[in-house]
Amino acid sequence: MAEKKTVSIAIPCYKSAHTIEDVVDEIVQQFSKQSEYDYEVVLVNDGSPDNTFEAIHRICSKNDKVTGVNLSKNFGQSAAKMAAIDYVEGDYLVYMDDDGQHPAEGIFSLIEKINEGYDIVYAHFGNKKHSGFKKLTSNLHNTFLTHIGSKPKDVHLSSFFATSSFCIEAMKTSGCPVVAVAAYLRQLTNKIVNVEMPHRKRKEGKSGYTLKKLIRLWKKSITSFNTALLNYSMTAGYICGGVGLLSAVIIIIRKLVNPHLAIGYASNMAGMLILSGLLMFFINILGEYIGKIYLILCGLPPFKVRDVIKKETIKSIEHKDTNE
C-alpha cells in the first residue's frame, strides 16, 4: 500500500476563540474520509486579545497532529502565515482562514490541481459572503495587482490556497524578511490557477479588516517584490510635466494675444494642489521601498514566536508536574 502524503494546513488565528475548534474539527472529519492523504495543522495565534491561544492549547492537547504557535504580539496575517513555515512538514501546504468561511472539503480540490503540476492553486469564490465594501476593495486590489504585473490576469487571489513542495522549500530557504508570502511565491512561478468553490458565512463576528488595515495590506502586497509603482511614478511625472509645459505655452500665447487677460488664481491653485498631491503620493511610495530596505539592514524580525505547543510537549510538562 502506498504511503499517504501529508497535507499541512496553516491557519492564522485572530480573535477566533469561538470558531477555531469547529474549523479544526471539520478538517479532521474530512480527512477521516480520505485514504490517500494524512494531515497536520499549524495554528498561529497572531497576538489575539481574547482566549484564542487557550482554545489552541485545548486542540493541541487532544490532537497530536496539531501544532500551536503563539506570536509575541499582533504582527498581521502575512507574518502569521510566514511564522507557520518552520513547523510545516507536509508534501503540500494549504492556507485557510479561522472563521469557518472556507469549506474543509475544498482542500482536496486544491490538492488535485497541485497534482496536475501547478505550484499555487487559489480558491475562487464566485459568490462571496462578504459586505459590499469588502467585495469592492477586494476587486480593486486584484485589478491593481494585475495592472502592475504582480499576478496573472485570469487568476483571482484569495486567502484559501494551496502550494506545492517546490513553494514550501522556497519559503523555508528564502531568508527574506519581507512577509508577503503570496507575492513572493508569485515571483517564483507562473504555474498558478484557480478552482471554483462555494463561500460560506462567518460562523460568528465580522471581518477585522478596517479600511486602515486594508490600505496597509495593499501597500505591503503591492510594493513587495515589485518595482512597477516606481515606473508608474516616472510616467506620471512625465505626463504632469508635459501638461504643465503645454499649459504654460497656452497661457503665454493667450497673454500675448490679449495683454489685459487676467490669469486665474483659482486655476493656478487647483493645479498646484493636484501636482502637490501626486508628488506626496509618489514620495510615499518611494518611502515604502526605502523603509523595506531599512528593515532588512537593521535585521528587525518580521515576527517573534513566544510559545510553541505540541501534544508531546504538553505530556512532558504534565509528567514533570506529576513527579514534582
Side-chain angles (χ1 to χ4, degrees), residues 5-11 22-32 34 36-42 91-97 101-115 120-125 159-163 195-198 200:
K5 290 189 175 182
T6 301
V7 180
S8 299
I9 300 135
I11 307 177
D22 289 340
V23 171
V24 174
D25 286 345
E26 185 182 356
I27 292 170
V28 173
Q29 182 183 11
Q30 290 299 321
F31 274 89
S32 68
Q34 290 287 326
E36 188 177 352
Y37 299 108
D38 201 354
Y39 74 93
E40 64 171 10
V41 180
V42 181
D91 303 286
Y92 313 88
L93 172 58
V94 175
Y95 283 107
M96 60 189 303
D97 287 349
Q101 287 191 287
H102 297 162
E105 63 268 22
I107 292 172
F108 307 106
S109 298
L110 300 177
I111 296 303
E112 283 178 13
K113 283 293 182 182
I114 295 291
N115 288 335
I120 310 174
V121 183
Y122 287 100
H124 177 227
F125 305 106
S159 55
F160 189 19
F161 66 97
T163 69
V195 169
E196 294 295 326
M197 208 169 290
R200 305 186 301 198

Side-chain angles (χ1 to χ4, degrees), residues 22 52 89 93 104 110 120 127 146 225 287:
D22 289 340
T52 296
E89 299 177 355
L93 172 58
L110 300 177
I120 310 174
N127 186 23
T146 299
F225 313 103

Side-chain angles (χ1 to χ4, degrees), residues 4 9 24 34 70 87 104 106 141 152 154-156 167 241 251 263 271 273 276 278 282 285 291 301 305 320:
K4 288 185 178 182
I9 300 135
V24 174
Q34 290 287 326
N70 188 31
Y87 308 94
H141 185 218
D154 56 345
V155 171
H156 300 270
C167 291
I251 290 171
I263 304 301
L273 289 173
S276 298
L278 282 172
F282 292 123
I285 291 172
V305 175
K320 181 180 179 181

Side-chain angles (χ1 to χ4, degrees), residues 12 56-57 75 78 138 184 198 230 309-310 314:
I56 292 174
H57 195 287
F75 290 96
S78 294
S138 178
Y184 171 67
L230 295 177
I309 295 179
K310 290 189 176 184
I314 297 172

Side-chain angles (χ1 to χ4, degrees), residues 256-269:
L256 290 173
V257 172
N258 185 3
H260 301 291
L261 179 68
I263 304 301
Y265 172 78
S267 60
N268 287 341
M269 285 301 298

